[in-house]
Amino acid sequence: MKRKAATLLRRKAFLSSLAFGAAVILAAPVSTLAQQITGVPGSPSATTTLSGKQLPPPDPRFGGVIKEKATESKPWWPPRVVPPKGAPNVLLIMTDDQGFGAPSTFGGVIPTPAMDRIARAGLRYTNFHSTALCSPTRAALITGRNHHSVGNGVVGEIATGFPGYDSIIPIDKGTIGTTLRDNGYATSWFGKDHNTPSYQSSQAGPFNQWPNGMGFEYFYGFVGGDANQWQPNLFRNTTAIYPFDGNPGWNLETAMADEAIQYIKQIKEIAPGKPWFVYYVPGATHAPHHPTPEWIKKISDMHLFDDGWNKVRDTIFNNQKRLGIMPANAQLTPWPKELPTWDSLGLLEKKLFVRQMDVYGAYLAYADNEIGRVIQAVEDLGQLDNTLIIYIGGDNGASAEGMLNGTPNEFTYFNGIPVPVKAQYLWYPFWGSDKTFPHYAAEWAWAMDTPFKWVKQVPSHFGGTTQGVAMSWPGHIKDMGGIRRQFSHVIDIVPTILEATGIPAPDRINGIKQKPIEGVSMVYTWDKKNANSPTRHNTQYFEMLGNRAIYHDGWIAATTPATLPWQPSSAPPPDIMTGYKWELYNVKEDPTEFNDLAAKMPEKVKQMQALFYTEAKKYNVLPLDNTTLPRWNTPRPSLTAGQTVFTYSGELIGTPPSAAPDILNKSYTITAEVTIPEGGAEGMIVTEGGRIGGYGLFLSKGVAGIRSGKPVFLYNFLNLKRTTWSGPELGAGKHTIVFNFKSDGPGLAKGGTGVLYVDGKEVDRNSMEHTIPITFPEDESFDVGDDTRTGVAMLQFRYDVPFKFTGKIDKLTFKLEPFKPVPKAASGAKAELAPMEAPEPDPIEEPKQR
């Protein structure tokens, strides 16, 4: 009894000390890391902050008294976990594929009033850097570690089996979502998720690398590198949703803003004292450029791009000088000889290229407008003064993936097929609509990266990595409208948020010891007296696709890109170690990398190279690899790896390409055993892809509502050429439909002969010169018994989606032959994928169906 009484006395003394400590600690600033407790410990209203050592924290030991009777016992509630007092809401915004010189905030000609607003209320950062590519930047952004450190040395679509490149964020490098959530924040993610490995993106999971598994309690967005903004592969948490069905004019940019506004409003009204973290990452301005018609008209009427890329570039640079974005000594880097000047073009080219850029400008302005709606909603809810807003203009430099002439379908680039200017005019009236998946000409990308050299995919030069950043927090960032030139990197955002919120980086998450944060907080730059203080981020490596650079104390050494990002090619790249020239710049004095000092300072180059390899070993950059096509086609862990026979029945929709039968570059047979009801049937039996590329086996819809029920196999070659096979109408009863395709391989993009059989009889035979070599659209899905998002047909056999099969699928079987590559002895040094010319496009007008 004495021992029990002593224990109770000690517990009382401990709890009293907690209550006393709370009274003292609550007066401390938000930056303190000491534990803060409010209320009477054990009461229902008590709260506590965390020490930061372990997430989630261990359950506290019961502090009440338990007797045989409840009337003689004392209840005790574990305190609710909350962030430190005064911790702000955090709105972290990042757009996509946006060059430094695109927005008006950083001298561009495209109006971005929402970003301007944040810059006027806070600071503009002009020396902030990304990794030069999408998912690597995003992985670094949410973890505070370098992209190779978190398995994202390249985009997930070309992941390989090395720690720096497998597209898996390690569990010992937890995200800012997890840290803030477990410290009492409401956490959410809206928009692009390019950090779920493609081979884990199906309904079968696992879901630990989805936003919900990375600390974000609510997710509303799409999974993958890009998405049709009119009919996206959209998820709410891990469930595919289709809000665009029957909703003409719906666009993800607006829907996403609506969703985020409602989320913030809900948190504010249900839990007024709970801070929130909103990670807001729209698909804009990555291709496809999909603004609304109203925005296209608004920007087109401004005639921002009529004078062409060279004069627009001059205008942007002059604006940057005038605004102080670029210092007086900065020089505009020269126009590259590999890209044509505007004056060398014909009228037909100029008209098309202006149209491409008007649509892009509309897309950026539209996206910024929707971001502005979210910011205004924060103010309307009375939350603006307590919200840290970080608005990052792009996850890499402007994209040159439209090739020299642009394209009405970005997937022509990924499959190595340039579309001639004349052929593109077929889509001119529809540019930016859901009939296109457009991307502008590469020359515009170089202009949007003014004043720097190079573009997206190129980490060695600032054109690929420099992003404009606006940051505000009323009352804390007081140098309103100020400019900061300290070198900083995307890995600096997490430590900045942690310092602002007063939350320490955890020592352990789910029992796993955490590796240190690799970024440096930018909070020191907020004070006006530190406006010109030296950067605290002194060393930073860059590497992507074999190009590399190293920044150290105001110097940068960089390789000269050996391949051009606007020329997709599978030709063998140069030797990764000896095939690159190195350049050297003193960026303290030469902020645009204008004056290459490598020839004058060879010893300095050697020192910097040695430093790069030291950093490369430290952060999982090795082994270096400058291949693209082999990495795209490399085997990865997959639910379908090694599988050659696939069987389905009934309906299955929304399966991502990574979990679907892969019919690319091989022979295959599709067998559908179906039952047709009295009166006939129509609808999709199986499809992958959609309007911009893919295939479908279906029963035709017919004419004027009369069901024809003809079995059809349609192959859509990148919205350029459609090849069809069809048979006679099917009557009531059981039928077997077989489509057999014999490839002309070995090799990529080979054509072949297809035969359609119905009930054992050949009903149609046709051939194709080429098939899609690399990828179907990643934002579409594999659907059985229905067709969601967009349809593969355009004129012949056209139908509207959703296109549900009205019969019964008893059994659907795919049988795949293995892919046969070209023997190395026969190919020698030739490209694995030979250049292809775009076929004469099918017409786009939509007359009555056959």
Side-chain angles (χ1 to χ4, degrees):
M1 289 295 293
K2 290 182 179 179
R3 182 177 298 173
K4 188 173 182 180
T7 300
L8 288 174
L9 285 172
R10 284 197 299 271
R11 184 172 294 167
K12 274 188 176 181
F14 172 70
L15 295 175
S16 296
S17 70
L18 288 183
F20 174 76
V24 177
I25 294 171
L26 285 179
V30 68
S31 59
T32 183
L33 300 184
Q35 193 172 20
Q36 303 171 14
I37 299 170
T38 65
V40 177
S43 69
S45 60
T47 67
T48 183
T49 61
L50 300 180
S51 67
K53 292 295 183 182
Q54 180 176 334
L55 296 180
D59 291 332
R61 195 169 66 176
F62 179 69
V65 177
I66 299 177
K67 299 280 190 177
E68 291 180 350
K69 295 180 180 180
T71 54
E72 298 175 356
S73 302
K74 182 179 180 181
W76 191 92
W77 294 91
R80 181 168 55 89
V81 174
V82 296
K85 187 176 180 181
N89 306 308
V90 180
L91 176 56
L92 176 58
I93 304 161
M94 185 169 68
T95 56
D96 201 342
D97 280 12
Q98 181 182 313
F100 179 78
S104 57
T105 319
F106 291 88
V109 299
I110 303 171
T112 51
M115 194 179 208
D116 292 346
R117 174 183 182 177
I118 302 307
R120 286 195 302 270
L123 299 170
R124 276 177 291 186
Y125 290 84
T126 65
N127 197 5
F128 180 94
H129 298 272
S130 66
T131 71
L133 213 49
C134 299
S135 47
T137 290
R138 293 161 189 271
L141 176 64
I142 63 174
T143 63
R145 282 94 167 183
N146 286 295
H147 55 303
H148 294 85
S149 286
V150 289
N152 278 257
V154 287
V155 289
E157 289 82 352
I158 54 175
T160 57
F162 296 99
Y165 298 91
D166 60 13
S167 75
I168 299 173
I169 295 176
I171 58 177
D172 63 356
K173 293 165 184 172
T175 73
I176 185 65
T178 297
T179 300
L180 294 187
R181 179 200 63 193
D182 288 355
N183 277 276
Y185 269 76
T187 59
S188 58
W189 180 330
F190 297 89
K192 177 173 173 174
D193 166 22
H194 203 184
N195 293 119
T196 299
S198 59
Y199 49 87
Q200 295 183 6
S201 61
S202 78
Q203 296 90 329
F207 297 109
N208 60 303
Q209 296 273 316
W210 283 63
N212 301 110
M214 292 191 285
F216 296 87
E217 296 167 311
Y218 185 73
F219 171 56
Y220 179 90
F222 62 92
V223 178
D226 56 20
N228 177 343
Q229 299 295 291
W230 302 107
Q231 299 100 0
N233 57 325
L234 188 62
F235 290 84
R236 178 172 279 113
N237 298 318
T238 59
T239 300
I241 58 174
Y242 305 87
F244 42 81
D245 281 351
N247 194 359
W250 186 97
N251 189 292
L252 180 55
E253 293 298 318
T254 294
M256 190 175 123
D258 291 343
E259 192 82 7
I261 290 168
Q262 177 58 29
Y263 174 86
I264 294 169
K265 178 178 180 291
Q266 176 176 290
I267 296 297
K268 166 66 175 173
E269 292 177 351
I270 294 175
K274 184 171 188 173
W276 43 261
F277 171 50
V278 170
Y279 179 42
Y280 192 90
V281 277
T285 54
H286 196 293
H289 304 152
H290 276 166
T292 62
E294 295 79 10
W295 278 98
I296 294 175
K297 183 179 188 308
K298 183 180 294 188
I299 296 299
S300 297
D301 288 348
M302 296 174 71
H303 300 284
L304 301 174
F305 307 105
D306 289 6
D307 291 335
W309 40 66
N310 297 108
K311 289 186 179 179
V312 166
R313 191 168 184 254
D314 291 338
T315 298
I316 294 171
F317 187 59
N318 291 334
N319 289 343
Q320 290 170 337
K321 285 289 192 75
R322 175 177 54 82
L323 294 169
I325 301 300
M326 283 291 116
N329 66 327
Q331 300 180 75
L332 180 61
T333 53
W335 187 257
K337 65 181 184 303
E338 294 88 353
L339 296 176
T341 61
W342 187 256
D343 290 342
S344 69
L345 304 176
L347 293 177
L348 197 68
E349 295 166 307
K350 289 181 178 180
K351 181 180 177 182
L352 175 67
F353 297 156
V354 168
R355 176 67 171 175
Q356 293 172 355
M357 199 57 191
D358 280 345
V359 170
Y360 173 82
Y363 195 30
L364 176 53
Y366 171 41
D368 180 82
N369 182 77
E370 300 308 297
I371 290 168
R373 289 179 53 226
V374 176
I375 295 169
Q376 185 59 46
V378 173
E379 181 177 28
D380 293 344
L381 289 167
Q383 298 278 289
L384 192 62
D385 286 349
N386 191 38
T387 301
L388 169 62
I389 300 179
I390 303 172
Y391 189 156
I392 305 172
D395 56 358
N396 43 243
S399 170
E401 291 162 357
M403 300 170 281
L404 291 180
N405 291 331
T407 175
N409 177 2
E410 182 197 23
F411 279 84
T412 62
Y413 168 82
F414 295 129
N415 287 284
I417 306 169
V419 184
V421 167
K422 185 177 179 181
Q424 292 190 49
Y425 267 90
L426 188 65
W427 288 273
Y428 185 93
F430 312 106
W431 209 272
S433 76
D434 63 353
K435 294 182 177 65
T436 64
F437 209 89
H439 197 303
Y440 57 47
E443 295 87 342
W444 287 121
W446 199 284
M448 291 301 100
D449 286 334
T450 301
F452 305 113
K453 293 182 280 193
W454 293 101
V455 293
K456 174 185 177 180
Q457 297 188 18
V458 180
S460 54
H461 291 72
F462 287 169
T465 67
T466 306
Q467 317 300 146
V469 174
M471 191 181 303
S472 72
W473 184 12
H476 296 262
I477 300 177
K478 300 176 182 179
D479 185 16
M480 293 186 293
I483 291 175
R484 297 294 184 265
R485 305 190 194 282
Q486 287 92 345
F487 181 93
S488 53
H489 189 270
V490 67
I491 63 175
D492 298 337
I493 294 299
V494 162
T496 300
I497 293 173
L498 293 179
E499 183 172 352
T501 60
I503 292 174
D507 182 65
R508 291 180 181 273
I509 295 178
N510 294 326
I512 304 298
K513 177 74 174 176
Q514 295 294 290
K515 295 293 178 65
I517 298 290
E518 294 163 8
V520 177
S521 171
M522 299 164 67
V523 169
Y524 75 96
T525 67
W526 291 357
D527 195 320
K528 190 172 184 178
K529 69 182 181 182
N530 292 332
N532 298 309
S533 66
T535 182
R536 296 182 184 177
H537 192 136
N538 296 310
T539 304
Q540 179 61 49
Y541 82 90
F542 297 85
E543 192 279 335
M544 190 71 62
L545 303 170
N547 285 305
R548 47 209 183 271
I550 183 72
Y551 168 88
H552 182 67
D553 286 345
W555 290 84
I556 192 164
T559 59
T560 305
T563 57
L564 302 177
W566 52 83
Q567 289 184 351
S569 171
S570 61
D575 183 86
I576 191 68
M577 301 303 293
T578 63
Y580 290 79
K581 175 188 173 184
W582 282 75
E583 305 169 16
L584 178 69
Y585 300 95
N586 179 352
V587 290
K588 280 186 179 178
E589 300 177 3
D590 177 19
T592 66
E593 300 176 307
F594 184 92
N595 185 24
D596 180 9
L597 301 173
K600 296 179 180 179
M601 305 178 69
E603 290 304 314
K604 182 69 174 179
V605 173
K606 290 180 181 178
Q607 293 173 9
M608 297 290 281
Q609 287 173 320
L611 180 58
F612 171 83
Y613 289 108
T614 297
E615 297 293 289
K617 291 176 183 177
K618 185 188 304 183
Y619 295 118
N620 290 341
V621 182
L622 304 179
L624 295 174
D625 186 349
N626 59 358
T627 62
T628 51
L629 186 59
R631 284 203 276 185
W632 193 291
N633 292 326
T634 193
R636 298 181 186 87
S638 168
L639 299 175
T640 62
Q643 191 173 345
T644 59
V645 178
F646 297 78
T647 304
Y648 310 91
S649 63
E651 183 177 293
L652 176 69
I653 62 172
T655 303
S658 61
D662 180 10
I663 69 167
L664 296 177
N665 305 302
K666 59 176 65 74
S667 300
Y668 56 90
T669 301
I670 304 173
T671 302
E673 300 172 34
V674 299
T675 300
I676 306 300
E678 293 293 336
E682 66 180 27
M684 185 60 66
I685 297 172
V686 62
T687 182
E688 183 180 349
R691 180 175 290 120
I692 61 168
Y695 67 87
L697 175 63
F698 56 93
L699 299 191
S700 69
K701 188 176 179 64
V703 180
I706 301 173
R707 295 179 176 177
S708 281
K710 293 182 176 182
V712 175
F713 186 86
L714 187 151
Y715 192 94
N716 176 2
F717 184 77
L718 299 173
N719 205 23
L720 298 171
K721 183 73 174 177
R722 287 170 171 81
T723 305
T724 61
W725 293 256
S726 65
E729 179 181 351
L730 298 186
K734 292 186 176 294
H735 297 275
T736 300
I737 307 166
V738 176
F739 180 75
N740 177 266
F741 182 77
K742 184 67 174 177
S743 172
D744 292 337
L748 302 176
K750 300 299 182 182
T753 300
V755 182
L756 182 67
Y757 300 89
V758 176
D759 297 331
K761 296 181 181 179
E762 179 179 326
V763 295
D764 204 358
R765 179 183 292 262
N766 208 343
S767 62
M768 295 185 287
E769 183 180 3
H770 290 294
T771 56
I772 295 173
I774 307 300
T775 179
F776 288 133
E778 66 174 343
D779 70 322
E780 294 278 355
S781 58
F782 175 77
D783 295 337
V784 176
D786 202 348
D787 191 0
T788 60
R789 302 195 179 102
T790 68
V792 290
M794 181 63 78
L795 294 177
Q796 194 179 27
F797 303 115
R798 183 187 177 278
Y799 56 86
D800 295 321
V801 294
F803 191 34
K804 186 178 291 289
F805 184 61
T806 57
K808 180 186 176 185
I809 300 175
D810 300 314
K811 186 177 182 182
L812 175 70
T813 305
F814 280 71
K815 291 185 177 180
L816 311 179
E817 298 292 330
F819 166 65
K820 297 178 181 178
V822 177
K824 290 185 178 181
S827 63
K830 293 180 181 178
E832 186 176 352
L833 176 60
M836 286 184 286
E837 293 184 4
E840 188 69 26
D842 293 331
I844 290 182
E845 292 78 21
E846 301 186 358
K848 291 181 180 179
Q849 0 174 26
R850 189 171 83 178

